[in-house]
Amino acid sequence: QGQLVESGGGLVQPGGSLRLSCAASGFSFNTYRMYWVRQAPGKGLEWVSYVSGSGGRTYYTDSVKGRFTISRDNAKNTVYLQMDNLKAEDTAMYYCAAKLDTRSHDLRFPPRRDEFNYWGQGTQVTVSS
């Protein structure tokens, strides 16, 4: 049974940095596209970033471009999200999710938990002074 475990969230001041990690187990990690999805208080799920199974293709939503960097280490079955210059509007629960690299996705629409093969428990990021 596959599992995703996120870590690295916390409270940070505006302009600060955090690095989220997501450790995967129980499935062939390098054949899965890995996503970071977030949910702010009172709002729906939002795409943040993804990285292809090989690491060769990445995506960022416009609001985090130039501030967030996604990466993966297939030898460690781990995906990372480096978040710099954090803003109050980045405050959210951040979820790690996995989908087979051969499956399609449509970034025009909000993500749904049931479209992923695996979903983590989330890690809270709070940006506040």
Side-chain angles (χ1 to χ4, degrees):
Q1 183 75 3
Q3 187 177 15
L4 298 173
V5 179
E6 301 99 329
S7 61
L11 173 64
V12 63
Q13 292 186 341
S17 297
L18 284 174
R19 188 195 196 202
L20 305 184
S21 298
C22 172
S25 61
F27 61 94
S28 297
F29 184 69
N30 64 352
T31 64
Y32 283 74
R33 195 181 308 133
M34 297 301 298
Y35 298 78
W36 288 99
V37 172
R38 67 186 178 186
Q39 186 168 26
K43 297 188 176 181
L45 294 173
E46 178 190 22
W47 300 104
V48 177
S49 181
Y50 80 75
V51 59
S52 62
S54 67
R57 186 171 64 252
T58 59
Y59 160 86
Y60 300 94
T61 194
D62 285 346
S63 63
V64 309
K65 282 180 181 176
R67 301 188 298 120
F68 290 11
T69 304
I70 192 169
S71 62
R72 65 189 295 160
D73 184 338
N74 285 348
K76 296 182 178 180
N77 287 359
T78 303
V79 62
Y80 306 96
L81 186 68
Q82 177 66 41
M83 305 187 296
D84 298 318
N85 191 21
L86 282 159
K87 304 177 180 181
E89 51 264 42
D90 295 318
T91 294
M93 182 70 78
Y94 283 70
Y95 297 96
C96 174
K99 180 184 288 190
L100 270 171
D101 221 352
T102 55
R103 294 180 61 192
S104 64
H105 60 198
D106 192 338
L107 301 174
R108 296 173 299 171
F109 301 98
R112 306 183 323 272
R113 291 193 182 204
D114 63 1
E115 70 175 282
F116 298 97
N117 297 99
Y118 303 105
W119 183 268
Q121 85 288 350
T123 186
Q124 178 67 39
V125 172
T126 303
V127 185
S128 175
S129 54

